[in-house]
Amino acid sequence: WPDWSHDGRHLVYTETNNETRRDIRYVELGSEGDASEPVTFLSTIANEYRPQLSPDGRFLAYVSSE
């Protein structure tokens, strides 16, 4: 499940990778609606998924198989 920040500027999501399984990535949307290049936030040999931003956007909760 992807999650949007409350200001609508960031989208966090899970992406599958053959080597590291599921990783958490994000993109930032500009004022013109253009998206930045995706950035890997967390990538380990464990599965990380279901990212959710805190209401103030300072913290990220997620599930890990580790």
Side-chain angles (χ1 to χ4, degrees), residues 2-66:
D3 188 35
W4 285 97
S5 61
H6 285 279
D7 63 7
R9 293 192 55 221
H10 295 89
L11 173 67
V12 292
Y13 60 96
T14 301
E15 183 172 271
T16 302
N17 179 304
N18 289 336
E19 295 178 15
T20 59
R21 300 193 230 174
R22 291 189 280 182
D23 302 327
I24 296 176
R25 302 190 78 191
Y26 71 91
V27 293
E28 182 176 357
L29 297 180
S31 59
E32 301 293 319
D34 53 323
S36 67
E37 288 293 317
V39 176
T40 300
F41 177 78
L42 185 60
S43 176
T44 71
I45 59 170
N47 281 310
E48 296 91 22
Y49 55 98
R50 296 197 63 184
Q52 186 170 12
L53 291 162
S54 63
D56 64 5
R58 293 181 57 209
F59 301 99
L60 177 73
Y62 61 92
V63 178
S64 174
S65 64
E66 188 169 49

